[in-house]
Amino acid sequence: MNRQPSQPETRPETVGGDNTSTTPVAAHTPRSALGRTGLSRGALNVAFQAGAFLVALVITTLVLLVAGAPPFAAYGEIVRGAVGSLQSLADVTVAWVPLVVCTFGLLVTFAAGLWNIGVEGQIMLGAVFATLVLRLLQDTNAPAWLALTLAISAAMVGGGLWAVLAGVLKAFGGVNEIFGGLGLNYVATALSLWLIFGPWKRPGVGSMSGTEPFPEQLWLPQFSGLRLSPWGLGLAVLAVVIVGVALSRTYFGLKLKAVGRNMRAAFLLGIPTWQYVLAAFLVCGLMAGLAGGIQVTAVYHRLIPSISSGYGFLGLLVAMLVRYRALWAAPVALFYAALNIGSIQLPIVLKLDSSLAGVLQGVLVLCVILAEGARQRLLHRPVSELPAPQEPGRGAPEHATPVEDAL
Amino acid sequence: MDVEIRDIHKRFGAVRANAGISLRVTAGTIQGVLGENGAGKSTLMKILSGFQPADRGEILLDGRMAHIGSPADAIRAGVGMLHQDPMDFPAFRVIDDFLVGRPGGISLSPGQARRELQAQAEHFGFSLEPNREIARMTVGERQQLELLRLLWQGAGVLILDEPTTGISAPQRETLFAILRQLAAEKKTVLFVSHKLDEVERLCHRVAVLRQGRLVGEESAPFDTAQLVRLMFGKEIVVSAPRSTAREETVLTLEGIEVEDARLHVGPTSLEVRAGEVLGLAGMEGSGQSLLLRVCAGLMSPVAGRLLLDGHDMTHRPYRSFHDRGVAYVPAARLEQGLVPGLSLTEHVLLSERHRGPLIDWKRGRAKTARRIHDFNIRGEPDNTVESLSGGNQQRALLALVPDPARLLLLEHPTRGLDVESTVYIWSKLKQRCTQGTAIVFVSSELEELLRYGDRVAVLFSGRVSAPVSAALTSVEELGELIGGKGLEPAA
Amino acid sequence: MTGEAILAGLSGVLAASGPLVFAAIGETISERAGVINLSANGVIVLSAMGSFAVGVATGSLLLGFLTGLLIGALVALVVAFGNITLRQSQVALGFVLALVCRDLAYFLGNPFMGASGPRLSSLPIPGLSRIPVVGQLFFAHNLLTYLSFLLVPVAWYFIFRTRQGLVLRAVGERPAAAFARGANVNRLRYLYTVLGGALVGLAGPMFSLSMKAGWKGTISGLDGIGWIALAITIFGAWSPLKVALGAYLFGLLQWLGVVLQPHLSGIPSQVLQVAPFPLMILTLLLVNIGNAEWVERILAGLPPRIRPAAAGLLRATRVSPPGALGVPFERD
């Protein structure tokens, strides 16, 4: 997982943020309910979402009380840390960039019914590839724009390759993508640690602070005085828009959906299923690699051991929270980025571990899932409305596709 | 045991499956429950056996009110049900399957159960090997095992839901003999069927259901015309369609052999011509589905050659078959044919060849509206497929078959459909044949095979007969072939 | 390496595999009932922290271990409620809980970092531990390790030789049929999910109160073990004997890695540290590849003389899960 025994948790080390007011009420149902109860259903949906959010807050407050911490001071600190200054707002945006890119990548794999747990590793491979290119080019006469373009392209290739590896394991080896992805995460961590302490170590002795920073001309340009790079932000928005359009308006997105919901039927309809499974992994890997490339070129300017900062797992949580719908993913990702940034000062100010943010983020998703279940039960609505990615253990179809899995 | 049900109601969403059904059956009676598919027979029986709760209504056993809220209650009350699809555990051995649900302490005492199983089996003339895997048994044998288990659990009321689907003619005769014997022992038998001839031969009394209501009760001897009127509410005239077979050959099998873990099929050699309809008959699990899947390129044959329009397609993947105009329509509509959660429009878009990556939703909807009209589907373009009824799902599935298609492979194309849907779907299929499409279909309905097929090939334990002409074969003759008569034993 | 050292090492392997045995057999039980509890990894971290905290606070080992049990059971209860009653995805629930529990452990464990707590002492069995070789291997451990030894045959006997075990398998194989025979499917699924979760929860205190007593923000080898346990459940084909074999094999390989490290100077330590995970992928590959469609196609193309042998070989290695694993049950 993102937290290796040997490596301390590092999150982007600044303050800033936005809107705790954007309650991730996110998910209302786009489809019109059966006319008769339409209105009250809409209201009920909002009520359930709001209830889920409140329950999550109550649980987190209880956790704070158990830890003997003052809840309101802690929440206040998070809000201040996230939206207290221009710098902190910029930092939230810096955190939002990789998070939203990974989330949209995950929307693609979720559309195909896949649990791509390997995003963390894909980010790392992207970062490793970007670092490799920059290291090769930093001592040449290559112009900075070319070096940076090549680095980010290489990052996407690296992330894509790592994701396709998990895809091949699933499609041709029957290895469930959850285990394939997890295993490859650990391998990616080992690879970057080995590089940082071995071949790419700083002059003298390698350290957890990462490789030697690149010369400043190889940094993506930043807004003056802020750590935010307009280029990084622009690339992220562009990628997110492309993926959003691909999912909702193209045959590619529709076929992915068919593969994700019923692989056997999709196959019989003539869709090349394993190719689409691999394509979903590839797109997600490209996105994760892009995130890793941006972290290297625009944020850290070097390879550090925890370059993925847990954004892969956080992206999974965001995707689950918005119930795999693209529309709400961007604002909710912003909220989650704000929580991350807001909690950074907790250890210093209140002597609390910053993993409080993770608790709140996770409990929120849990409550939304349970509230959705309660709502469906109450309204006797068929479950089929959601794209519910395949359960890994579900009995695979007899034939037709190589993508049979057993958990 | 006397059974009385009073004013049973049950609805699923907008469908009223049972609308106030009352019925009395005295001990020792074989009571037929007749009705076409969707009439509410199965629902009523599931309520009686505790599988589903009724919305309203009462059940009395031997005059006493019985509270049957679960199968556990039903078993205690002495009601046992034999489901159409045997409710057993394919991954288990016979003896383990037999033991599931048997009350007792911690120990399984399999030795004693084994002896009792064998004694029971002998009593009824079955041969059931306790260590056999259920997955390797025929539907008929699995049914026998279920029957033994129910009697062993002490069932005084036996419900049989369409028990003759998928079993051989001799197995059916054995079953009928046993049911008569059980009735003589004062057990109550409820025999659910949509097959008139079976009900007429076996039952003492018949209750006819239509659209969730009890529309009539008759006693033996029965007036067939009267039963038909009760079942359908009107006369249905079905005319045998004319053959549209042409000269050119579409599909050629040369010594094809296919196998899975359980069964080896073949060698098979046959030809199907353009416009021709070939039926594949046989007990379920005799290899029809394997053969059909080979013809679709979904499985590779282990020997032989397969040609489409003269091109060798052996070992080619499904995609190549698909590109050559082969369409495979599976029996499990929602599981294999359609994508739950996607709308009709999305299905139509997926089934079409398209230019460019972007979807034109407006055109897609218009096209879907036309198909809905052409195929008489009750639904809107934006409806998801799982919200359609079974008959409409089947029509939707056919509406997705590319037009023109060269070869249509259909697995139980009308299973679970009412007579009108069946007639409509075949009229659509025959229309395709006049354009030169060849059809190979699997069915367990003998009448369907003979009425709509030009020729019928019979499979028995993986052996394939030379096709017989449908026009020259009677239902009885076909039944005998399916039971294994006329096929030489394997060398 | 002396015989003495090898013996001590193997004895250590048996003890060190204890948490894996508990977790994987716990998971086996809930998956046999049809419920995948993906939360195992987070649960083990949280129960390690929680039981250590209770141990420190009360000084009682017993209360510490009970805390671990309870945490596992409670988290499993959430999974069961969300999946069985509310019909939400087992994977989503389990995965979120895996993340939440871990963060919760780090957050709540902060004050206990570096505290000194009780530690389960070893309890050589008088007499038996004196037997040469066998005594040191099997009878010179602590109580929990003995329990892990006992759990294997007991769980196997329960699942395959008792009436309740038969019904458990039936519920996971085909819930509708089990229901038709009078089983209360969802109640049994609750029961076995919680029971399995409790066993998973025991793996935590085996670290923090026994093998690597203490809490330093985490424990080396702790995070990640839950995922390995889930993989071993598959590798062991949902049978306690094979699952235990997988767990011990895993322990053995890890020990070999440590022993051989000085001799493999070319391989960086980071690589050996993560070696269990590629190993996990490889084992899953081994048991699943026989199910792949392209393998079947190749098989069909083989000449008839070698085909049965090849098919037999594939069938022998591949595993198939309980028929209704991950599939919710509804009466209609």
Side-chain angles (χ1 to χ4, degrees):
Chain A
M1 313 282 301
N2 61 339
R3 183 146 174 163
Q4 293 301 310
S6 51
Q7 100 199 31
E9 182 125 313
T10 37
R11 292 197 171 115
E13 49 284 71
T14 16
V15 201
D18 190 336
N19 65 9
T20 34
S21 62
T22 309
T23 42
V25 167
H28 83 274
T29 355
R31 138 201 335 232
S32 68
L34 301 168
R36 191 159 50 91
T37 50
L39 265 178
S40 62
R41 270 195 180 177
L44 214 58
N45 288 351
V46 175
F48 269 104
Q49 304 283 351
F53 186 69
L54 280 179
V55 172
L57 266 185
V58 169
I59 293 175
T60 313
T61 307
L62 285 177
V63 168
L64 279 164
L65 290 174
V66 167
F72 293 106
Y75 292 139
E77 190 51 48
I78 291 180
V79 174
R80 208 168 16 257
V83 298
S85 67
L86 185 64
Q87 181 70 49
S88 58
L89 283 171
D91 284 331
V92 169
T93 316
V94 169
W96 178 74
V97 164
L99 179 58
V100 79
V101 169
C102 290
T103 304
F104 270 74
L106 281 162
L107 290 177
V108 175
T109 38
F110 272 125
L114 301 164
W115 284 89
N116 183 10
I117 308 291
V119 183
E120 286 286 303
Q122 291 149 24
I123 299 173
M124 286 182 223
L125 260 284
V128 165
F129 271 53
T131 308
L132 176 69
V133 168
L134 290 183
R135 285 179 69 88
L136 289 176
L137 295 180
Q138 65 182 351
D139 299 325
T140 65
N141 293 327
W145 64 267
L146 181 66
L148 285 168
T149 309
L150 285 177
I152 287 179
S153 312
M156 293 176 71
V157 170
L161 282 179
W162 210 239
V164 167
L165 187 52
V168 168
L169 280 170
K170 178 179 172 83
F172 298 106
V175 177
N176 186 279
E177 72 273 17
I178 292 179
F179 293 102
L182 270 169
L184 290 174
N185 283 349
Y186 283 98
V187 175
T189 307
L191 177 68
S192 64
L193 281 175
W194 174 66
L195 287 170
I196 288 167
F197 286 93
W200 293 353
K201 73 176 174 211
R202 286 187 163 181
V205 67
S207 86
M208 290 304 284
S209 63
T211 56
E212 187 72 12
F214 297 113
E216 214 159 316
Q217 70 268 20
L218 288 182
W219 298 10
L220 272 185
Q222 297 175 336
F223 286 117
S224 63
L226 299 174
R227 295 159 48 90
L228 178 61
S229 159
W231 287 91
L233 186 60
L235 278 174
V237 170
L238 182 68
V240 159
V241 168
I242 291 174
V243 168
V245 168
L247 280 177
S248 61
R249 306 195 172 268
T250 65
Y251 282 97
F252 175 75
L254 181 58
K255 287 181 182 178
L256 271 186
K257 245 162 82 176
V259 169
R261 284 165 187 255
N262 189 342
M263 193 172 288
R264 170 77 178 179
F267 182 78
L268 291 178
L269 280 167
I271 300 170
T273 44
W274 67 259
Q275 290 93 327
Y276 268 78
V277 166
L278 290 191
F281 272 111
L282 177 65
V283 173
C284 188
L286 291 175
M287 295 289 276
L290 174 64
I294 290 175
Q295 293 301 85
V296 166
T297 54
V299 181
Y300 295 106
H301 315 298
R302 61 197 145 101
L303 183 64
I304 60 169
S306 56
I307 190 88
S308 65
S309 313
Y311 288 126
F313 290 120
L314 208 54
L316 279 161
L317 289 184
V318 173
M320 281 189 247
L321 189 65
V322 300
R323 302 205 72 89
Y324 321 112
R325 287 187 297 255
L327 191 60
W328 291 93
V332 171
L334 192 62
F335 173 61
Y336 267 41
L339 285 177
N340 260 18
I341 300 299
S343 65
I344 284 169
Q345 292 294 318
L346 286 178
I348 300 154
V349 182
L350 290 168
K351 302 263 180 296
L352 294 174
D353 196 279
S354 63
S355 51
L356 179 66
V359 174
L360 180 55
Q361 288 160 341
V363 169
L364 193 53
V365 175
L366 191 65
C367 289
V368 166
I369 293 175
L370 294 179
E372 174 65 17
R375 190 183 65 83
Q376 284 169 358
R377 221 182 126 89
L378 229 70
L379 301 178
H380 294 290
R381 175 198 286 254
V383 265
S384 52
E385 180 200 314
L386 294 163
Q390 293 168 336
E391 301 284 327
R394 183 156 295 172
E398 289 171 85
H399 269 282
T401 72
V403 198
E404 302 190 12
D405 43 331
L407 190 136
Chain B
M1 198 182 282
D2 293 343
V3 179
E4 183 177 357
I5 53 181
R6 286 185 189 161
D7 198 29
I8 296 282
H9 289 260
K10 176 77 182 176
R11 63 189 309 156
F12 297 103
V15 182
R16 299 180 75 176
N18 286 172
I21 296 179
S22 301
L23 184 66
R24 281 192 65 145
V25 187
T26 48
T29 310
I30 302 181
Q31 169 77 47
V33 180
L34 191 65
E36 58 173 332
N37 288 306
K41 305 172 304 238
S42 290
T43 303
L44 185 64
M45 295 305 127
K46 282 183 177 167
I47 288 169
L48 190 53
S49 63
F51 221 76
Q52 276 166 0
D55 297 339
R56 208 163 83 218
E58 293 166 350
I59 297 167
L60 287 86
L61 297 173
D62 277 341
R64 270 194 302 277
M65 188 81 80
H67 296 281
I68 299 182
S70 70
D73 293 345
I75 292 165
R76 269 194 294 279
V79 178
M81 176 155 171
L82 191 70
H83 293 257
Q84 186 174 358
D85 180 18
M87 275 290 177
D88 53 14
F89 302 92
F92 285 12
R93 293 175 309 152
V94 166
I95 186 69
D96 286 342
D97 180 276
F98 193 57
L99 279 164
V100 177
R102 199 179 187 217
I106 287 180
S107 167
L108 279 172
S109 43
Q112 192 199 342
R114 203 176 291 253
R115 282 191 297 279
E116 289 184 33
L117 171 68
Q118 266 158 349
Q120 281 250 3
E122 266 166 42
H123 177 68
F124 290 109
F126 300 155
S127 79
L128 293 168
E129 163 58 39
N131 284 329
R132 249 181 111 194
E133 218 180 294
I134 305 271
R136 289 170 182 272
M137 307 197 328
T138 66
V139 177
E141 287 171 317
R142 290 165 61 184
Q143 205 178 61
Q144 294 173 350
L145 175 61
E146 281 284 277
L147 202 59
L148 289 190
R149 185 182 60 76
L150 291 172
L151 293 171
W152 194 44
Q153 280 185 342
V157 179
L158 268 178
I159 305 169
L160 298 95
D161 189 7
E162 305 274 2
T164 58
T165 310
I167 70 173
S168 68
Q171 280 172 334
R172 184 179 60 190
E173 294 316 312
T174 315
L175 177 69
F176 283 8
I178 289 166
L179 293 181
R180 291 193 186 101
Q181 184 186 336
L182 291 172
E185 294 167 13
K186 282 292 167 200
K187 294 198 190 290
T188 310
V189 177
L190 289 156
F191 183 85
V192 180
S193 180
H194 67 283
K195 292 175 187 159
L196 276 169
D197 57 326
E198 290 180 355
V199 169
E200 285 180 359
R201 272 177 48 207
L202 179 70
C203 298
H204 303 134
R205 293 180 54 80
V206 169
V208 185
L209 299 191
R210 193 172 75 230
Q211 293 177 345
R213 292 175 191 283
L214 183 72
V215 291
E217 286 186 77
E218 301 282 321
S219 295
F222 303 102
D223 170 8
T224 309
Q226 168 67 4
L227 290 180
V228 169
R229 266 193 301 279
L230 286 172
M231 258 175 94
F232 300 112
K234 63 184 173 195
E235 304 269 347
I236 288 185
V237 185
V238 184
S239 58
R242 191 173 300 226
S243 172
T244 52
R246 301 179 188 178
E247 281 307 306
E248 82 252 37
T249 302
V250 173
L251 174 72
T252 311
L253 304 185
E254 291 177 1
I256 284 286
E257 293 177 51
V258 51
E259 67 181 23
D260 66 4
R262 285 171 217 156
L263 192 65
H264 180 100
V265 181
T268 310
S269 297
L270 48 84
E271 292 188 347
V272 185
R273 287 173 296 154
E276 190 187 22
V277 181
L278 174 72
L280 296 179
M283 285 183 286
E284 241 153 87
S286 299
Q288 309 93 303
S289 295
L290 289 184
L291 201 56
L292 204 64
R293 290 222 294 264
V294 165
C295 295
L298 290 165
M299 283 181 80
S300 268
V302 295
R305 277 194 341 143
L306 187 154
L307 296 99
L308 272 178
D309 288 320
H311 300 274
D312 190 343
M313 300 290 285
T314 323
H315 299 305
R316 301 296 299 276
Y318 170 75
R319 289 269 292 166
S320 314
F321 282 70
H322 193 77
D323 292 343
R324 285 210 175 272
V326 176
Y328 171 81
V329 180
R333 293 183 278 267
L334 269 190
E335 290 75 22
Q336 304 193 345
L338 299 168
V339 185
L342 295 195
S343 68
L344 281 172
T345 304
E346 287 174 311
H347 277 86
V348 169
L349 287 168
L350 285 171
S351 70
E352 301 260 302
R353 278 173 205 283
H354 57 85
R355 254 172 296 163
L358 289 174
I359 295 176
D360 184 345
W361 286 105
K362 217 172 129 193
R363 247 193 69 213
R365 276 199 196 91
K367 205 178 274 179
T368 309
R370 270 201 304 283
R371 298 269 185 99
I372 286 176
H373 177 260
D374 286 350
F375 284 82
N376 198 16
I377 301 167
R378 249 167 282 165
E380 299 290 322
D382 285 341
N383 285 158
T384 54
V385 286
E386 71 272 21
S387 68
L388 306 177
S389 71
N392 283 309
Q393 283 172 6
Q394 186 69 2
R395 290 175 211 209
L397 206 47
L398 288 176
L400 297 177
V401 170
D403 195 8
R406 195 63 184 144
L407 173 63
L408 271 181
L409 302 163
L410 311 163
E411 207 181 11
H412 300 288
T414 63
R415 174 177 281 179
L417 302 190
D418 58 36
V419 175
E420 281 183 281
S421 290
T422 302
V423 171
Y424 186 83
I425 278 169
W426 272 110
S427 74
K428 278 291 187 190
L429 290 172
K430 281 290 188 178
Q431 214 174 315
R432 289 289 182 85
C433 291
T434 58
Q435 297 158 12
T437 302
I439 292 181
V440 180
F441 77 105
V442 170
S443 174
S444 48
E445 302 288 333
L446 306 191
E447 291 85 356
E448 180 178 36
L449 286 160
L450 294 177
R451 182 171 300 139
Y452 299 108
D454 296 318
R455 292 182 298 153
V456 178
V458 181
L459 285 92
F460 181 76
S461 319
R463 276 171 292 130
V464 188
S465 78
V468 296
S469 160
L472 303 177
T473 310
S474 70
V475 172
E476 287 71 27
E477 287 165 339
L478 184 57
E480 286 181 0
L481 286 172
I482 289 174
K485 285 191 193 163
L487 270 168
E488 296 305 314
Chain C
M1 207 170 181
T2 65
E4 190 67 15
I6 291 177
L7 204 58
L10 289 180
S11 173
V13 165
L14 288 177
S17 306
L20 262 184
V21 170
F22 274 114
I25 288 186
E27 190 66 27
T28 299
I29 289 174
S30 65
E31 290 190 16
R32 274 284 178 187
V35 179
I36 310 165
N37 184 352
L38 272 189
S39 68
N41 194 55
V43 165
I44 294 173
V45 177
L46 183 61
S47 69
M49 190 289 295
S51 50
F52 179 70
V54 168
V56 169
T58 64
S60 160
L61 275 170
L62 180 67
L63 285 179
F65 278 102
L66 285 180
T67 307
L69 215 66
L70 196 67
I71 287 173
L74 281 177
V75 175
L77 190 64
V78 177
V79 173
F81 176 70
N83 177 250
I84 298 168
T85 304
L86 298 181
R87 305 177 49 73
Q88 297 301 295
S89 154
Q90 296 174 357
V91 175
L93 285 162
F95 191 74
V96 173
L97 280 166
L99 295 183
V100 168
C101 289
R102 216 169 46 121
D103 276 332
L104 207 55
Y106 294 144
F107 182 73
L108 292 176
N110 212 17
F112 297 93
M113 208 129 54
S116 67
R119 178 175 194 164
L120 195 64
S121 52
S122 100
L123 188 75
I125 296 179
L128 290 177
S129 61
R130 298 275 180 86
I131 304 172
V133 183
V134 175
Q136 192 180 351
L137 274 182
F138 297 104
F139 300 112
H141 295 286
N142 64 39
L143 192 61
L144 258 282
T145 308
Y146 294 136
L147 271 183
S148 73
F149 292 162
L150 268 181
L151 179 66
V152 179
V154 168
W156 177 84
Y157 187 84
F158 177 77
I159 292 176
F160 293 108
R161 288 291 181 270
T162 67
R163 186 176 310 281
Q164 286 74 11
L166 180 65
V167 176
L168 160 68
R169 281 187 288 145
V171 162
E173 199 62 47
R174 201 172 166 200
F179 180 64
R181 294 160 189 229
N184 190 334
V185 172
N186 285 343
R187 195 160 67 192
L188 288 172
R189 282 189 161 178
Y190 259 101
L191 175 71
Y192 288 118
T193 308
V194 170
L195 180 70
L199 286 176
V200 173
L202 259 189
M206 280 197 82
F207 277 92
S208 63
L209 293 176
S210 165
M211 279 163 42
K212 294 174 177 171
W215 178 258
K216 299 170 208 69
T218 180
I219 300 173
S220 91
L222 176 68
D223 194 1
I225 194 171
W227 299 111
I228 304 263
L230 286 169
I232 285 181
T233 307
I234 301 170
F235 173 74
W238 296 269
S239 156
L241 293 186
K242 288 186 207 161
V243 164
L245 182 73
Y248 291 122
L249 217 57
F250 229 92
L252 184 70
L253 287 171
Q254 269 188 299
W255 174 68
L256 282 179
V258 174
V259 170
L260 296 179
Q261 193 168 5
H263 308 284
L264 303 166
S265 51
I267 301 174
S269 63
Q270 293 91 354
V271 173
L272 281 177
Q273 263 175 25
V274 299
F277 298 96
L279 202 61
M280 167 179 95
I281 295 178
L282 282 180
T283 52
L284 292 181
L285 199 60
L286 178 75
V287 297
N288 281 320
I289 200 158
N291 295 323
E293 198 256 0
W294 63 273
V295 177
E296 303 245 340
R297 260 182 202 280
I298 290 179
L299 216 54
L302 290 177
R305 263 189 309 160
I306 48 177
R307 193 176 344 117
L313 192 70
L314 275 176
R315 253 169 237 143
T317 60
R318 79 177 168 196
V319 298
S320 43
L325 183 58
V327 184
F329 169 68
E330 213 173 17
R331 283 168 88 137
D332 311 328

